[in-house]
Amino acid sequence: MFHRWSSSPQQDQDTESKIKELKGAIGPLSGRNLMYCTDDCLKRYLEARNWNVDKSKKMLEDTLRWRSTYKPEEIRWHEVAMEGETGKLYRASFHDRQGRTVLILRPGMQNTTSMENQMRHFVYLLENAILNLPPGQEQTAWLIDFTGWSLTNNVPLKSARETINILQNHYPERLAIAFLYDPPRIFEAFWKIVKYFLDNKTFQKVKFVYPKNKDSVELMKSYFDEENLPKELGGKSTMNYNHEEFSRLMVQDDLKCAAFWGSNDTLLNHIGNGHSAA
C-alpha cells in the first residue's frame, strides 16, 4: 500500500556494498543487538553519517551501548503513564499520506518536573511509534501543537537538548518531518537557541506552519488528510485525547513489544495480568 523511494540498480548496489562493509566493521552480533541491526537500520546510520562507514560504525556502537544500559525496549506503559495523563505526547490514531506513524506533541500540556521520567516517556513513545510502522516504512512524522504554550510552562532548555540528543544520536533518520503549528511569537526566542542543537539534516525537516500563511498550510496538508487532523492543527477532526483509551492501547502494545524483543516470561505475565494499566 505504501511505497518507498525509487532508486537505480547502481544505487541499490552501492547501498548494499556500504551495508555489507558496515556489517563487517561492526563484527559478529547476538541477541537483541542482532535483532536491532537490520539492513534497514544500518542504512539509516549510514545516511545519518553521509555514508561514511567509520563514522556510522561509531554512531551505531554508541547506540548499542546506550540501548544496553537504558533498555528502551523494556520500558512499559505503567512506568510512564503518569507522564501521559494530559496528552502532551501520544501516538495519533492516523498515519500520514505515506503511511508513517504520527506522534502528536503538545508542549503546553506539560504536567511533570522530572526530566528523567519525561525522557523515558519520550523514548517509550518513540519505540512505540516504530513498533507500529507499516512494513517498508522506517520513519515517523511529528505534529507539534502549541495550544496553551507559554514561557511559564515551556519545556526547559536542558530537556529540549536531551530530547534532540536522543533523537539524533540514537534514532537517526527516524524523523521524516516535524510540523510546528502556529507557535506564538515569543517562541521565536526559544527556537533561536534550540535550533543550534539540531544537525543540518534534522533542521531541514522542521517546518513552521501558520494558519494565515497559505503555503505553509498547503505543505502540511500535502502530508496529512485534513479529515484526520485535529481542529487545533487546522484539520476537521474533533477527536480528543482520552488517557484511559490510550492506556488500554499501550498495554496491548506492551505485549507486542515484549513478544517482538523476546522479553522474559515474568515480564509477559506482568503485562498479561493487567499490571501495566495506568
Side-chain angles (χ1 to χ4, degrees), residues 233-252:
L233 294 165
K236 296 182 179 180
S237 175
T238 56
M239 189 177 296
N240 295 316
Y241 175 77
N242 183 303
H243 187 58
E244 289 185 7
E245 287 182 9
F246 191 73
S247 293
R248 285 193 287 270
L249 181 65
M250 292 302 99
V251 170
Q252 292 302 311

Side-chain angles (χ1 to χ4, degrees), residues 26-44:
I26 294 170
L29 297 169
S30 61
R32 292 181 181 176
N33 284 351
L34 181 61
M35 293 175 65
Y36 180 77
C37 293
T38 63
D39 283 4
D40 282 331
C41 172
L42 299 185
K43 182 180 177 183
R44 287 188 292 101

